[in-house]
Amino acid sequence: QVQLVESGGGLVQAGGSLRLSCAASGSIFSINAMGWYRQAPGKERELVARITSGGSTNYADSVKGRFTISRDNAKNTVYLQMNSLEPEDTAVYYCNVLGNLKIYWGQGTQVTISS
């Protein structure tokens, strides 16, 4: 069984920063890609950022230049540094891991940006 534990969400003012973390544990033998999705009220879940085992990254256009995804392969952990946050970034953020040829999701962490 694989567990994803997320942390780092919260409430900040516009222009502020947050750092999300997601640690994968359990019977996970190989991790390919790790990433973050988000879902705002009344909207579909969307990709925010993704990083492969080789370090290649891709970002949603709306967060390019403001968010940075990184990973620590030794710790099976992925991070999302979010700067210059905007009210439009308010959403539940979900960790996503492609490992053991399966997709795993975290429980979600709330990020709220006040104007």
Side-chain angles (χ1 to χ4, degrees):
Q1 195 170 359
V2 174
Q3 297 83 35
L4 302 182
V5 178
E6 301 161 344
S7 61
L11 169 65
V12 297
Q13 290 187 333
S17 299
L18 283 173
R19 188 190 193 212
L20 304 183
S21 299
C22 172
S25 62
S27 302
I28 189 159
F29 304 108
S30 64
I31 295 179
N32 300 106
M34 306 181 81
W36 292 92
Y37 285 69
R38 67 185 181 187
Q39 187 166 18
K43 295 187 177 181
E44 294 186 354
R45 191 172 297 188
E46 63 175 358
L47 173 69
V48 176
R50 183 174 180 268
I51 184 167
T52 68
S53 57
S56 297
T57 59
N58 62 291
Y59 296 89
D61 287 343
S62 59
V63 307
K64 284 180 181 177
R66 300 188 298 122
F67 291 11
T68 302
I69 190 169
S70 61
R71 64 188 282 178
D72 184 333
N73 290 331
K75 297 181 179 180
N76 286 341
T77 299
V78 62
Y79 306 96
L80 186 67
Q81 178 66 44
M82 305 185 294
N83 299 328
S84 301
L85 284 161
E86 303 168 352
E88 292 72 23
D89 296 317
T90 294
V92 178
Y93 284 69
Y94 295 92
C95 177
N96 172 278
V97 171
L98 172 61
N100 299 345
L101 301 180
K102 296 180 180 179
I103 295 174
Y104 300 94
W105 290 94
Q107 79 283 0
T109 184
Q110 178 69 46
V111 171
T112 303
I113 312 304
S114 63
S115 57

